[in-house]
Amino acid sequence: MAGTNPRTRDWVVSILATTVFCLAIAVATKLIWAGKWYEHIAISFGYGYCAVFSAFAISKMWPSFPLLRINGLSILFSFVFGTLNAYLVLSHYSAFSGFSDIVPVAFLGLVLTAGCFFYFYAYEQKMIAERELEIAKRKQSEQEKALILSQLKQLQSQIEPHFLFNTLANIQVLIDSEPTQAKQMLSKLTDLMRATLKTNTKELISLREELVLADAYLGIHQVRLGERLQYSIDYDTAIDQVQLPPFLVQPLVENAIQHGIEPNGAGGEIKIEATKQDGLIEIRVEDSGVGLEAPSSHNGHGVGLANIRQRLQAMFNERASLSIVQNSLGGVTASIRIEDGDLVCSPVP
């Protein structure tokens, strides 16, 4: 009954269940008392169908009535009209020549009808509670999703100005001393902003788009640092379309440059790798800079790293993590790990 109204479906189920119940009662009474099969069936169905259809009629005429009141009135109608039907069926027997002779049958019909109704009442109350719980869970899920998306947008809005202002400050420094490099960096920034605008309205972008942005960002700093900065980006093409919140990698690259490469007089190399292994997707940003213990001229407050952790928590809960470790041969490796099952592997429209 796919596509039918839930209330209609409930009534159909009630009628089917009542039919089965009445047949079972007819069989039981036939085994106890004599009489023709059709008489037992007629009496049993008289009580059962009268109860069901009177409940249906009452709920249609007075939809504001509570379920318990509807059931109580239905039992009353079932008792009156079911008993009248039983008398008409049995009146040709001498033992049921008077209406008072039908009292035992009426009492049995009342007990069975009331028992049946209270069973269905409890069942329907349970179904109503389950539907309301499902609706509440769905609303809660939608609210949580809206909250997460709002948090992601808020956190992303904190990252983008931070990145943009730092880059413009670098260009400003180079305008007087190295105008050619400033022009090249401005050109790279234009390319980066153009790519950023394509993804700025998306809540999620592909891993490949994220690494393209990181490549453009590193290109800007390579113009500024010249031979002091070398970099490479390598990723598994099988996972290049998994969806991530934007600007997860860029703050890691920014930290690698500011706290690793720049303080190192000889410069260094940054490697970005994205791999999938043992059900985990890992994105690593490794630098060959001065490491965690060396002093840095940049007095950062960890805004970028804090935002990454918050965004991972908002999107993936405990199924994603960010770690920062010092390499044994110098430098730092920042790693984002996300369970593969939590990632969408097709582009978001």
Side-chain angles (χ1 to χ4, degrees):
M1 292 185 291
T4 58
N5 183 281
R7 192 64 181 166
T8 302
R9 186 166 58 247
D10 289 345
W11 279 113
V12 172
V13 171
S14 295
I15 292 172
L16 292 175
T18 301
T19 301
V20 174
F21 184 77
C22 289
L23 283 173
I25 296 300
V27 171
T29 56
K30 172 61 177 173
L31 294 175
I32 298 173
W33 295 298
K36 298 180 175 62
W37 273 108
Y38 76 85
E39 293 173 340
H40 290 273
I41 292 173
I43 294 172
S44 179
F45 275 72
Y47 281 105
Y49 278 174
C50 181
V52 170
F53 288 110
S54 61
F56 178 76
I58 293 169
S59 65
K60 277 290 187 181
M61 295 174 64
W62 296 284
S64 60
F65 274 16
L67 184 60
L68 191 59
R69 183 183 298 181
I70 293 174
N71 286 347
L73 290 173
S74 300
I75 291 173
L76 178 62
F77 279 114
S78 174
F79 174 72
V80 173
F81 292 103
T83 301
L84 180 60
N85 172 70
Y87 177 73
L88 293 175
V89 171
L90 299 174
S91 59
H92 65 281
Y93 291 104
S94 58
F96 297 101
S97 57
F99 199 78
S100 60
D101 299 327
I102 207 74
V103 171
V105 176
F107 179 76
L108 179 62
L110 176 63
V111 171
L112 292 176
T113 303
C116 179
F117 251 92
F118 280 111
Y119 170 79
F120 283 118
Y121 172 77
Y123 174 77
E124 187 158 357
Q125 287 294 95
K126 177 184 176 183
M127 295 300 294
I128 290 172
E130 288 178 353
R131 278 200 295 266
E132 290 178 349
L133 180 61
E134 183 181 349
I135 292 172
K137 285 182 177 180
R138 186 162 58 246
K139 287 182 178 179
Q140 182 181 3
S141 176
E142 291 172 354
Q143 290 172 351
E144 288 176 351
K145 181 179 179 182
L147 177 61
I148 286 174
L149 293 178
S150 174
Q151 290 174 340
L152 290 176
K153 289 180 180 179
Q154 181 181 6
L155 295 171
Q156 182 178 338
S157 69
Q158 295 173 13
I159 292 174
E160 290 171 350
H162 178 67
F163 156 65
L164 180 59
F165 295 152
N166 281 349
T167 304
L168 291 175
N170 289 329
I171 293 174
Q172 185 177 14
V173 170
L174 290 173
I175 285 176
D176 293 329
S177 60
E178 301 287 347
T180 301
Q181 289 187 359
K183 184 177 180 180
Q184 291 176 347
M185 186 177 291
L186 185 58
S187 176
K188 292 286 187 180
L189 178 61
T190 302
D191 293 339
L192 179 60
M193 290 295 99
R194 187 178 294 112
T196 302
L197 287 174
K198 292 180 180 179
T199 61
N200 198 36
T201 57
K202 299 179 182 179
E203 283 124 9
L204 298 171
I205 65 173
S206 69
L207 173 61
R208 185 175 183 278
E209 290 175 305
E210 175 75 6
L211 295 180
V212 166
L213 291 172
D215 185 25
Y217 178 83
L218 282 166
I220 291 173
H221 285 283
Q222 193 172 49
V223 172
R224 182 172 65 87
L225 297 175
E227 294 182 356
R228 292 183 59 214
L229 173 62
Q230 303 296 321
Y231 73 90
S232 63
I233 299 176
D234 185 27
Y235 60 93
D236 185 350
T237 56
I239 59 172
D240 66 352
Q241 291 301 317
V242 298
Q243 302 295 306
L244 302 168
F247 282 89
L248 284 181
V249 176
Q250 181 269 328
L252 301 180
V253 174
E254 183 176 355
N255 279 351
I257 291 173
Q258 291 184 352
H259 303 291
I261 304 302
E262 285 186 343
N264 189 358
E269 182 181 7
I270 294 176
K271 296 179 181 179
I272 301 177
E273 295 181 341
T275 58
K276 176 183 176 181
Q277 186 176 8
D278 298 330
L280 288 176
I281 288 180
E282 182 176 14
I283 305 169
R284 293 184 301 277
V285 177
E286 179 183 351
D287 70 75
S288 60
V290 295
L292 294 175
E293 304 300 327
S296 173
S297 60
H298 296 279
N299 297 319
H301 300 284
V303 174
L305 297 180
N307 273 307
I308 291 175
R309 287 193 170 96
Q310 289 180 53
R311 298 169 86 197
L312 290 174
Q313 171 68 25
M315 182 63 71
F316 305 110
N317 295 320
E318 302 301 324
R319 298 180 295 275
S321 63
L322 168 66
S323 63
I324 310 293
V325 297
Q326 179 149 322
N327 303 327
S328 58
L329 299 178
V332 172
T333 297
S335 299
I336 296 174
R337 296 182 180 89
I338 309 173
E339 290 185 12
D340 186 22
D342 293 311
L343 297 173
V344 179
C345 294
S346 59
V348 173

